[in-house]
Amino acid sequence: MSIFSRATVIDVKDYGNDIKEFTLKLDNYKRFEAGTFLQLTLNEVTASERWPDSRPFSIASYYNEDKTMRLIIRKVGKYTAKIFEQLKVGSICTIKYAFGEFILPMFDKENEIVCIAGGTGISPFLSFIECLEKEGGLDRIKLFYSVRTPKDYIELDYIKNVIKEENLFIYCTDEKVEWAENRRINIEDILKNTKNKETAEFYICGSSEFIADFKRELKENDAKRINTDEWQ
């Protein structure tokens, strides 16, 4: 059953290129799985009222004592434009959470977790990283993260601080920076850095085309466990 909560915006970070990070403080905060998503409406409604127009967003953080959630939102349509205009520090919105099956394996605590992120597709992986950091399982994760320009990187300093250098693969397609490959991620990058493609858990999040291409290529190369975040 979904959880219904009033939420207050306590921080807004502007990354430029129509990307913002919103931190919400929830009135009704319950434990949730890393990788899940929520429905957000700008209306203030109660649980007994009809649910109004809303949009889904990956939760870009993990369960914490501060009772907060972070959302990474790109302005791509009328509703996200309204979110950018209306949600300021102190603003109130309403959310329902947590939904989806794009979650870490419940019983497998040993095999690799290979995350492939394009742009704001990093969002659910930030919750993965926070969860595994708390559980002492960060050595299992390998992250392939691609954006167009350096401004598009989300929480990159945090990511570089907690994930081992040999497990982190950073790409920037439109600009050259010394700490990133100036090209797209390709399937060879992933396969040569995965110990066992049959037992590894692959997770893909990005644009529809990004997801479809890597899902197809992984299947063609006999990967067995492929998870995609395709609600977007």
Side-chain angles (χ1 to χ4, degrees):
M1 179 180 294
S2 62
I3 301 162
F4 189 98
S5 182
R6 183 175 182 266
T8 303
V9 180
I10 62 170
D11 188 53
V12 179
K13 186 183 295 184
D14 191 344
Y15 286 92
N17 293 345
D18 289 333
I19 300 172
K20 288 187 178 182
E21 177 183 298
F22 296 88
T23 302
L24 308 178
K25 180 87 169 182
L26 276 61
D27 289 357
N28 186 18
Y29 192 76
K30 306 293 184 183
R31 187 172 291 277
F32 58 92
E33 295 289 341
T36 50
F37 69 92
L38 56 74
Q39 291 280 347
L40 180 149
T41 179
L42 290 167
N43 299 52
E44 289 187 57
V45 294
T46 65
S48 60
E49 293 179 281
R50 182 176 180 179
W51 185 250
D53 193 15
S54 64
R55 292 294 182 274
F57 299 105
S58 293
I59 303 171
S61 55
Y62 185 53
Y63 181 82
N64 58 71
E65 295 180 356
D66 295 331
K67 298 183 178 180
T68 61
M69 287 182 179
R70 293 197 316 275
L71 306 177
I72 310 298
I73 300 178
R74 182 187 292 275
K75 185 168 64 174
V76 292
K78 291 182 178 179
Y79 203 84
T80 50
K82 286 175 64 178
I83 289 173
F84 273 41
E85 179 184 343
Q86 296 184 29
L87 285 191
K88 314 293 183 183
V89 173
S91 299
I92 306 297
C93 58
T94 311
I95 67 168
K96 291 196 296 186
Y97 69 101
F99 304 98
E101 298 179 352
F102 194 74
I103 58 177
L104 293 166
M106 295 184 67
F107 303 109
D108 177 3
K109 303 297 183 183
E110 296 181 359
N111 290 308
E112 291 172 287
I113 296 165
V114 181
C115 300
I116 309 163
T120 55
I122 193 63
S123 295
F125 299 137
L126 291 172
S127 67
F128 280 12
I129 293 167
E130 287 188 8
C131 177
L132 291 170
E133 185 179 18
K134 287 185 177 182
E135 295 179 352
L138 271 177
D139 285 352
R140 298 173 60 198
I141 196 168
K142 290 184 176 175
L143 175 63
F144 297 82
Y145 182 18
S146 176
V147 300
R148 293 179 59 191
T149 74
K151 285 185 177 181
D152 295 327
Y153 287 114
I154 308 294
E155 300 290 348
L156 186 59
D157 287 343
Y158 165 67
I159 291 169
K160 292 170 73 173
N161 186 54
V162 298
I163 296 181
K164 288 182 177 180
E165 184 177 354
E166 60 266 32
N167 289 348
L168 181 60
F169 308 89
I170 303 295
Y171 303 79
C172 187
T173 60
D174 292 3
E175 294 184 28
K176 289 185 178 181
V177 288
E178 63 181 28
W179 36 264
E181 294 280 356
N182 182 215
R183 59 177 176 83
R184 297 176 182 273
I185 307 168
N186 62 50
I187 190 64
E188 288 76 20
D189 296 329
I190 297 164
L191 295 176
K192 73 181 182 182
N193 289 291
T194 301
K195 293 177 182 178
N196 189 329
K197 63 187 177 184
E198 294 188 0
T199 61
E201 292 279 356
F202 293 94
Y203 293 85
I204 315 166
C205 189
S207 68
S208 297
E209 182 181 2
F210 183 92
I211 291 172
D213 286 347
F214 280 110
K215 182 178 181 180
R216 172 181 50 79
E217 291 178 321
L218 285 169
K219 284 186 173 180
E220 289 174 353
N221 284 276
D222 300 319
K224 304 300 183 186
R225 304 176 181 179
I226 304 171
N227 307 274
T228 60
D229 200 22
E230 296 186 81
W231 58 264
Q232 303 182 88

